[in-house]
Amino acid sequence: YDTAQVVSQGDGITRLSFQGGKEGLASHLEGRLGLPGERSVHLRVGGCERASLWGWAVEAGLNQHLLTAEETGLLDLGFRVSMVMMTADDEASAYSEIGVQPVLMASYPFMISKGETKRDDRIGAVTLSLGMTTYFVDRRDYKKIDDGTNIIEEAELSSSVEWQPLVSLSGSVDILTMLPLALEVRWQQGGVYGGASVGYQF
């Protein structure tokens, strides 16, 4: 639910989201804080489904606003890099991944209504994001082997590195001043995902 624009220095935003797609359902709570130099940091924590297992995931990263719409004549350009960690397990198997997501974002901003101050403006944006996900994946599965006399439970371990493109299209609008609503559709790790979020900016 990112845009190329970042939160202003000293401001923050909290956001609650729900997603669904190839792997199932997910939800996360996000916190974002504006920093000097047209950048912001974010932290997202939530629960999600991966490889038919439910688990917890954490994402932390930095957003950098590169060019404004005034400078380019039409679009805001920005960059995001995030570290992602996820773990899930049950009695039959376990799954974990750690990785990085670099993403380039282009946003078309628009004004919904102008307030007395810039902070009171209701704004929106349509954003196209192009990036890459690189994950180091570890998996453990327990298999039962019947040798004719006994049933033996054996753990099978596997590790892999996954490289996948990330493409997303999102739209965000302030349904009320400082209360953004966002929708997003993305293609990531070979599957299509969609979701919605509502936030509060302060």
Side-chain angles (χ1 to χ4, degrees):
Y1 309 102
D2 287 335
T3 64
Q5 303 92 341
V6 296
V7 181
S8 299
Q9 180 181 349
D11 290 348
I13 187 171
T14 60
R15 192 187 334 249
L16 178 65
S17 77
F18 298 92
Q19 298 83 230
K22 177 187 174 185
E23 294 287 350
L25 300 176
S27 179
H28 77 256
L29 183 65
E30 173 187 357
R32 186 182 298 271
L33 180 65
L35 301 177
E38 293 295 314
R39 63 179 60 95
S40 65
V41 291
H42 64 265
L43 175 66
R44 300 172 178 135
V45 180
C48 60
E49 193 173 2
R50 176 74 75 199
S52 300
L53 297 171
W54 274 97
W56 292 97
V58 177
E59 176 183 336
L62 177 75
N63 289 50
Q64 177 68 57
H65 195 180
L66 301 175
L67 294 171
T68 67
E70 290 77 13
E71 292 171 322
T72 64
L74 182 65
L75 301 173
D76 283 280
L77 297 178
F79 180 78
R80 178 186 81 232
V81 60
S82 302
M83 293 293 297
V84 182
M85 294 178 290
M86 186 266 180
T87 182
D89 65 81
D90 61 15
E91 294 181 357
S93 56
Y95 180 98
S96 65
E97 62 186 23
I98 182 169
V100 62
Q101 285 185 1
V103 180
L104 182 65
M105 298 169 290
S107 296
Y108 174 71
F110 56 87
M111 179 75 66
I112 300 172
S113 65
K114 192 166 183 62
E116 294 183 2
T117 66
K118 185 176 180 180
R119 191 176 177 86
D120 295 327
D121 292 345
R122 290 177 59 213
I123 58 175
V126 177
T127 302
L128 175 65
S129 301
L130 302 173
M132 178 70 68
T133 61
T134 304
Y135 290 123
F136 298 91
V137 179
D138 292 308
R139 183 158 187 169
R140 182 181 72 243
D141 293 294
Y142 291 100
K143 294 186 176 181
K144 292 183 178 180
I145 302 173
D146 189 349
D147 63 1
T149 305
N150 299 303
I151 296 178
I152 303 171
E153 191 174 76
E154 185 177 274
E156 184 178 86
L157 305 177
S158 62
S159 297
S160 62
V161 179
E162 296 184 1
W163 300 72
Q164 295 282 352
L166 184 156
V167 181
S168 73
L169 181 65
S170 63
S172 63
V173 294
D174 288 343
I175 52 178
L176 295 172
T177 302
M178 311 300 281
L179 192 67
L181 171 69
L183 302 173
E184 182 180 89
V185 176
R186 68 166 54 189
W187 185 63
Q188 178 179 342
Q189 292 181 279
V192 177
Y193 301 84
S197 75
V198 63
Y200 174 69
Q201 195 166 342
F202 54 91

